[in-house]
């Protein structure tokens, strides 16, 4: 009986992570924030496909970079592990502040003085925030890495 090969995630270059993360962020913002600001049908097929494209690109960034993916023991040295841990901490802070600001907005909007998204829009906004949360550590590592630029 043949042994099954372990899943080996792709290893993207720094430049590829930068490009994919930019495309993912653009697709997420265009598909989620665009319908809120412009007269675009947010329930349409084009916007849904734009969001799904953003999700797929964000997942690729997370899987193909050392931000979240599993690394084997000895694969990273102490400095690389520290950089990775710092990127995760910064990512959690950034997305935590975003969640806190959204909560403050909800509290201020409760009396009816500020705009609130409907349930459908709120679901898409939360999905966008999740995928940005997943992608942020990889983006931080990619934009801090200067090895490929020199």
């Amino acid at each position: 009986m043949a042994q099954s090969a372990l899943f080996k995630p792709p290893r993207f270059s720094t430049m590829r992570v930068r490009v994919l993360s930019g495309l993912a962020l653009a697709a997420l913002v265009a598909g989620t924030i665009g319908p809120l600001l412009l007269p675009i049908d947010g329930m349409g097929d084009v916007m849904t496909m734009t969001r799904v494209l953003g999700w797929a690109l964000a997942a690729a960034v997370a899987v193909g970079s050392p931000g979240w993916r599993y690394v084997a023991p000895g694969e990273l040295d102490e400095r690389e592990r520290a950089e990775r841990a710092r990127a995760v901490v910064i990512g959690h802070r950034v997305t935590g502040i975003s969640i806190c600001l959204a909560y403050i907005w909800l509290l201020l909007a409760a009396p009816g003085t500020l705009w609130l998204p409907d349930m459908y829009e709120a679901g898409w906004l939360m999905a966008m925030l999740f995928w940005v949360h997943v992608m942020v550590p990889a983006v931080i590592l990619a934009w801090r890495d200067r090895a490929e630029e020199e």
Side-chain angles (χ1 to χ4, degrees), residues 11-22 61 64-66 83 138-149:
R11 304 239 192 281
F12 293 150
S13 67
T14 301
M15 185 55 70
R16 180 169 288 184
V17 171
R18 289 178 185 175
V19 169
L20 289 177
S21 64
V61 167
S65 68
E83 286 176 357
V139 173
I140 291 170
L141 289 173
W143 285 99
R144 284 185 160 185
D145 187 19
R146 302 287 180 214
E148 292 184 13
E149 291 180 2

Side-chain angles (χ1 to χ4, degrees), residues 20-21 24-25 28 58 61-62 68 130-139:
L20 289 177
S21 64
L25 189 58
L28 288 169
V61 167
W68 282 112
F130 168 76
W131 284 109
V132 168
H133 169 75
V134 167
M135 193 173 58
V136 166
V139 173

Side-chain angles (χ1 to χ4, degrees), residues 71-87:
V71 290
E75 185 177 345
L76 300 176
D77 62 20
E78 263 183 55
R79 180 190 56 80
E80 291 169 328
R81 285 192 181 274
E83 286 176 357
R84 179 180 166 171
R86 178 113 170 102

